[in-house]
Amino acid sequence: MEPAPGPQEKYQLITRNLQEVLGEDKLMAILKERELKIYWGTATTGKPHVAYFVPMSKIADFLKAGCEVTILFADLHAYLDNMKAPWELLELRTRYYEHVIKAMLESIGVPLEKLKFIRGTDYQLSKEYTLDVYRLSSVVTQHDAKKAGAEVVKQVEHPLLSGLLYPGLQALDEEYLKVDAQFGGVDQRKIFTFAEKYLPSLGYAKRVHLMNPMVPGLTGSKMSSSEEDSKIDLLDRKEDVKKKLKKAFCEPGNVENNGVLSFIKHVLFPLKSEFVVLREEKWGGNKTYTAYEALEKDFAEQVVHPGDLKNSVEVALNKLLDPIREKFNCPELKKLSSAAYPTPSKAKPAEKGTKNSEPEDVVPSRLDIRVGKVISVEKHPDADSLYVEKIDVGEAEPRTVVSGLVHFVPKEQLQDRLVVLLCNLKPQKMRGVESQGMVLCASSVGEPRQVEPLDPPAGCCAGERVYVEGYEGGEPDEELKPKKKVFEKLQADFRVSEDCIAQWKQKNFLTKLGTVSCKSLKGGSIS
């Protein structure tokens, strides 16, 4: 039997892989006296995805350190956050979360009997709690409430009062759950500092706050329930896992914003204390890493290939997902899943001679636009005006793209350049070569015609998503159907501003690093 860890060992387990701890001295003082009481809350909104293994892995660390852990299913918060969970679905989604979170914990070997599970509505509707909400609202400024929720509460043009209440409730949860510490992502930091500022004004103690880093999604941005390609659902089939990992951003040698590497660091390594890269004998055979830093170093030096890394993660991830899929394969949980997350009703096809009463939304989020890096440029063998380019968009293999840029952009100006690529057009042959995308360019209005490829912001990586301001959360079509002319309808409103910014209906094209632009073609069109 292993000896119980001492305060220092417990501290190391509790804080490893965290981005920030607020209240380190208080944390150590508690550990010298007794076990730490901590809670993690999750609002029961969108379907949990594989990024939820990150907090699950930390919960396993907390239990190893002897902590008393409470998991809060924050159902009322889900409703307050711009009604992400409608009232009529709240109970169903909370039940779904209970089943799926417990299944996740079991799949990584966490004993459920050591955890306490509670719903927000079990205590947040009590007389005492409601009175404290009113007491808190009498001392909190509107500015502080809005600022606290800025990273967590959905931001809309006309915010609801409910979003201002959200941070206050999360602060009060620390007192009503009788914990020493709250654990969450670093996106919760403003709510945590809000709690530290305002709980003492009600006579309640300031708590310790533990923050995980935000793990990049498969597209290189935050993994999100609302961005389909950025996440793998816990119930995705194996073929869907393979498909999403294949498309994942994992540029050779690039360890920044690499969702595949981050998943290994924050989930797979803490669970197994090792990671095996699977590869064929001709490429050196399998290699076992017992320290994440060694794997990251080998990837940075391109000793480990992105394809091998993805294949290895796929095998390890499916081992975690198999017991969850099996549990949800029963009729009862299948029914719960479809009831909690009903498929949005689609408009029926219009009958001949009638107009469809629910026209299809033609919005920019349906376009899969990404940053690409041009790896090679060659003249098309059968067309003098066409280039054939190999463009890296963060997938396992670069895409072949045919562009009519020979008369406008010298070959050497395209080589190694970052471009903006439309990735979900139906592939089509151009003079015998299949093109798997379209390089978006600005064009002058008058003669002689000038063309300039759009430029992503400096510092972008291949595979990063490009979106239109206000349409960040939408899900792109798998493939744009030529007959529906979605791109053509949207492209009619593409323009270059007087500041050379690419826009759709005067809303900027963006990546997480800033605006997409062109060099000089003010007022030009984009195609």
Side-chain angles (χ1 to χ4, degrees):
M1 186 174 169
E2 290 185 15
Q8 190 61 44
E9 292 171 279
K10 289 179 180 179
Y11 181 88
Q12 293 299 331
L13 267 173
I14 290 167
T15 59
R16 74 168 174 174
N17 282 339
L18 294 181
Q19 182 162 325
E20 189 176 4
V21 178
L22 299 177
E24 293 174 275
D25 293 342
K26 185 172 184 178
L27 172 60
M28 183 55 84
I30 292 169
L31 292 174
K32 287 178 180 176
E33 291 182 12
R34 57 175 172 81
E35 306 298 3
L36 184 76
K37 296 176 181 177
I38 187 168
Y39 100 88
W40 172 73
T42 179
T44 53
T45 53
K47 270 189 174 182
H49 44 75
V50 295
Y52 279 63
F53 276 118
V54 178
M56 299 301 105
S57 179
K58 277 311 299 176
I59 286 167
D61 280 347
F62 297 152
L63 290 175
K64 287 176 194 168
C67 299
E68 296 177 23
V69 182
T70 297
I71 292 181
L72 168 67
F73 297 110
D75 47 358
L76 199 53
H77 283 82
Y79 181 70
L80 290 175
D81 186 1
N82 210 47
M83 292 187 289
K84 281 184 182 175
W87 194 259
E88 63 273 13
L89 294 179
L90 206 56
E91 166 67 19
L92 293 166
R93 289 194 178 175
T94 304
R95 279 171 49 207
Y96 179 87
Y97 263 68
E98 287 180 10
H99 283 289
V100 87
I101 295 293
K102 287 176 181 178
M104 290 181 78
L105 289 163
E106 287 172 328
S107 84
I108 63 172
V110 173
L112 298 185
E113 63 273 12
K114 291 190 175 182
L115 295 162
K116 179 183 177 184
F117 297 93
I118 190 168
R119 295 184 183 196
T121 48
D122 288 345
Y123 64 91
Q124 289 167 345
L125 302 176
S126 69
K127 178 182 175 182
E128 295 77 15
Y129 189 95
T130 303
L131 181 58
D132 269 345
V133 171
Y134 286 130
R135 289 175 62 207
L136 197 60
S137 68
S138 71
V139 294
V140 173
T141 65
Q142 179 187 356
H143 171 270
D144 282 2
K146 187 176 180 181
K147 179 183 174 185
E151 301 293 326
V152 177
V153 178
K154 185 176 180 181
Q155 300 300 297
V156 293
E157 190 177 352
H158 301 291
L160 300 172
L161 179 60
S162 58
L164 299 177
L165 294 174
Y166 188 111
L169 269 66
Q170 189 167 333
L172 287 172
D173 290 340
E174 297 179 348
E175 174 64 24
Y176 279 79
L177 293 172
K178 302 300 177 189
V179 294
D180 307 305
Q182 183 179 173
F183 163 61
V186 74
D187 60 337
Q188 306 267 339
R189 192 183 195 281
K190 289 177 182 175
I191 291 182
F192 291 167
T193 55
F194 172 93
E196 292 188 7
K197 177 179 179 178
Y198 281 107
L199 279 188
S201 68
L202 299 188
Y204 298 142
K206 185 191 294 188
R207 266 63 178 191
V208 176
H209 293 103
L210 310 171
M211 283 165 273
N212 252 349
M214 298 310 296
V215 174
L218 300 179
T219 55
S221 56
K222 175 185 170 183
M223 204 176 281
S224 165
S225 294
S226 61
E227 191 179 328
E228 187 61 31
D229 274 352
S230 82
K231 53 97 180 179
I232 293 172
D233 191 89
L234 295 166
L235 302 181
D236 273 350
R237 300 169 303 164
K238 289 186 177 182
E239 51 266 42
D240 293 326
V241 172
K242 179 184 285 292
K243 181 180 171 185
K244 289 180 180 180
L245 277 171
K246 187 177 179 182
K247 292 170 70 176
F249 169 71
C250 193
E251 186 180 46
N254 188 346
V255 300
E256 299 297 321
N257 294 315
N258 188 322
V260 181
L261 272 178
S262 293
F263 189 77
I264 296 170
K265 178 179 180 179
H266 292 284
V267 177
L268 300 178
F269 252 106
L271 293 177
K272 301 288 185 183
S273 300
E274 67 174 33
F275 182 74
V276 182
V277 174
L278 307 170
R279 56 190 177 189
E280 296 177 33
E281 286 299 326
K282 65 180 180 180
W283 303 118
N286 297 352
K287 183 169 182 180
T288 300
Y289 290 89
T290 54
Y292 171 76
E293 292 72 20
L295 171 63
E296 187 179 274
K297 181 173 181 288
D298 276 1
F299 186 82
E301 294 173 359
Q302 299 192 34
V303 175
V304 175
H305 188 272
D308 294 329
L309 194 73
K310 289 180 180 183
N311 291 339
S312 307
V313 168
E314 181 189 338
V315 170
L317 179 54
N318 276 318
K319 284 182 182 175
L320 294 179
L321 296 180
D322 278 342
I324 303 172
R325 293 182 186 119
E326 187 178 345
K327 181 172 182 177
F328 273 77
N329 201 29
C330 68
E332 181 191 350
L333 291 184
K334 281 182 178 179
K335 184 178 178 182
L336 173 62
S337 181
S338 59
Y341 297 94
T343 305
S345 57
K346 294 182 179 177
K348 294 178 181 177
E351 293 179 18
K352 195 171 183 180
T354 66
K355 287 186 176 180
N356 196 326
S357 59
E358 294 181 42
E360 192 174 44
D361 281 342
V362 179
V363 291
S365 53
R366 293 182 62 181
L367 304 180
D368 182 4
I369 306 177
R370 300 184 223 166
V371 175
K373 183 174 183 179
V374 180
I375 296 172
S376 67
V377 191
E378 301 294 339
K379 281 277 194 76
H380 193 296
D382 298 317
D384 292 340
S385 63
L386 300 178
Y387 284 132
V388 179
E389 303 125 357
K390 293 287 186 183
I391 301 181
D392 178 10
V393 288
E395 298 172 342
E397 300 293 335
R399 293 193 178 206
T400 300
V401 178
V402 180
S403 301
L405 295 174
V406 170
H407 300 312
F408 304 102
V409 185
K411 180 178 171 181
E412 56 272 17
Q413 286 186 20
L414 278 178
Q415 182 66 47
D416 298 323
R417 179 181 185 142
L418 289 181
V419 293
V420 176
L421 194 73
L422 178 61
C423 294
N424 59 342
L425 288 173
K426 184 177 181 179
Q428 63 177 36
K429 286 196 173 182
M430 298 179 71
R431 300 292 291 272
V433 177
E434 185 176 80
S435 182
Q436 300 167 321
M438 177 194 289
V439 176
L440 294 182
C441 299
S443 299
S444 60
V445 178
E447 295 294 338
R449 189 177 177 223
Q450 293 176 275
V451 176
E452 295 174 356
L454 295 183
D455 293 315
C460 281
C461 297
E464 284 187 38
R465 189 168 177 203
V466 177
Y467 52 86
V468 171
E469 185 180 359
Y471 294 88
E472 296 90 334
E475 181 185 329
D477 291 13
E478 184 73 25
E479 183 179 279
L480 296 171
K481 305 301 179 192
K483 287 184 179 179
K484 295 191 175 180
K485 298 191 179 299
V486 172
F487 173 69
E488 290 80 357
K489 291 172 184 175
L490 291 165
Q491 189 259 338
D493 291 304
F494 287 0
R495 289 286 181 277
V496 178
S497 74
E498 290 304 308
D499 299 320
C500 289
I501 305 299
Q503 296 183 330
W504 174 78
K505 291 188 175 181
Q506 299 183 315
K507 294 181 181 293
N508 294 342
F509 281 56
L510 301 166
T511 74
K512 61 188 176 185
L513 294 181
T515 55
V516 172
S517 60
C518 70
K519 188 176 178 182
S520 64
L521 301 181
K522 299 177 181 179
S525 60
I526 297 172
S527 57

